[in-house]
Amino acid sequence: MNQTVTKASAVISPLGDSALVITFGDSIQYDIHKQIKTCKDSIELNPFPGFIECVPAFTNLTIFYNPLEVVAAVKKKEKKEFVSPFEVVSSTLQSKLENEQTEKELAHRTVSIPVCYGGEYGPDLEYVARHHNLTPEEVISIHSEGEYLAYMIGFAPGFPFLGGLSEKIATSRRPSPRTSIPAGSVGIAGMQTGVYPISTPGGWQLIGQTPVKLFLPEQTPPSLLQAGDIVKFEPISKEEYQEMQAKEGEK
């Protein structure tokens, strides 16, 4: 498999015949996220011929492209008989990475998400509290006082993987996943927290639920949250939850 190592220590590898992956590291950390976000923004601001989209993850960025358009653009410009789409795109991105400036601070959008904690909406809140010798109220306080970085969107449409959870409430996944989790459920898994945007199986510890819709298929983009967003959770009562849910249903 052909690979390109850039001066920025990023590794570019092919992914099939119409995509490539730029790997920036092997651990979840803000500096790597910053490189990924900076590269993504740069590509989307000045896309190369044939570019389709970027998909950020914890440690890498996947770039999808149309190989026919890549080849056509190069042949038109350089009159070459044989062109490797991967080599063309890889060379373009390698140059971009080597000249990328990552000293600037990232601009993060902050999104506040209301959550009704515990009871029928957070069936695992009591377990998380007992596991850490805390009260449910203390778990709610710790969780809602944090600020969480959306490192990536995945698993299910609009599902945010949020880093920054306090070690005081970090809890392993359930030993046996649930076959169906309600949309809007807020969960904990290890050092991460997240929100299930649609009803789906899952093994995270559920501590609350939001009436806000995270997956919006009729909009562009269809996800309320994007990689790089800062998320804050706001505790609400059961009555407030039901009132907000009714309003969401009217939209």
Side-chain angles (χ1 to χ4, degrees):
M1 179 177 65
N2 293 326
Q3 291 184 328
T4 302
V5 180
T6 74
K7 290 181 180 179
S9 299
V11 178
I12 303 176
S13 308
L15 181 65
D17 59 2
S18 58
L20 56 76
V21 179
I22 307 177
T23 302
F24 292 86
D26 57 6
S27 60
I28 303 173
Q29 52 181 287
Y30 184 78
D31 286 345
I32 290 176
H33 168 79
K34 185 177 181 180
Q35 294 179 62
I36 293 171
K37 185 68 165 57
T38 300
C39 183
K40 174 180 179 293
D41 291 347
S42 177
I43 294 171
E44 292 177 342
L45 183 63
N46 296 291
F48 56 85
F51 170 74
I52 297 176
E53 67 172 334
C54 291
V55 179
F58 284 123
T59 60
N60 59 55
L61 181 68
T62 299
I63 295 95
F64 293 89
Y65 55 85
N66 184 324
L68 297 180
E69 291 185 15
V70 172
V71 169
V74 174
K75 284 188 173 182
K76 181 178 180 180
K77 182 179 180 180
E78 301 182 14
K79 309 297 183 181
K80 290 185 177 179
E81 289 297 321
F82 174 77
V83 178
S84 164
F86 168 74
E87 290 181 1
V88 172
V89 177
S90 175
S91 177
T92 298
L93 296 179
Q94 181 181 13
S95 177
K96 184 181 291 290
L97 286 167
E98 290 175 347
N99 293 287
E100 202 69 74
Q101 300 296 320
T102 59
E103 289 78 13
K104 293 183 180 180
E105 292 298 318
L106 292 180
H108 297 283
R109 181 181 67 147
T110 298
V111 181
S112 180
I113 296 180
V115 179
C116 182
Y117 289 93
E120 61 186 291
Y121 301 119
D124 298 322
L125 177 63
E126 294 279 352
Y127 170 79
V128 173
R130 290 196 307 271
H131 184 71
H132 294 283
N133 296 314
L134 298 170
T135 65
E137 291 73 23
E138 287 173 324
V139 173
I140 294 171
S141 177
I142 293 170
H143 187 264
S144 61
E145 287 175 359
E147 292 189 355
Y148 305 96
L149 174 64
Y151 277 93
M152 61 178 286
I153 307 297
F155 163 64
F159 187 103
F161 287 86
L162 305 174
L165 185 69
S166 171
E167 292 184 1
K168 296 178 180 178
I169 58 173
T171 311
S172 299
R173 289 173 171 82
R174 290 168 53 85
S176 178
R178 292 182 171 92
T179 57
S180 180
I181 289 176
S185 294
V186 178
I188 288 174
M191 291 293 294
Q192 297 181 98
T193 187
V195 185
Y196 286 83
I198 61 175
S199 179
T200 178
W204 291 37
Q205 305 285 353
L206 306 182
I207 62 172
Q209 194 168 317
T210 178
V212 174
K213 295 180 180 179
L214 271 70
F215 178 51
L216 308 165
E218 71 283 357
Q219 296 186 16
T220 302
S223 175
L224 172 66
L225 298 175
Q226 303 295 319
D229 286 346
I230 297 294
V231 176
K232 295 182 178 181
F233 294 107
E234 176 189 354
I236 58 174
S237 66
K238 182 177 180 179
E239 291 71 27
E240 289 174 314
Y241 173 90
Q242 292 173 343
E243 182 179 343
M244 295 177 71
Q245 188 180 49
K247 290 182 179 179
E248 284 286 336
E250 294 173 358
K251 293 181 180 180

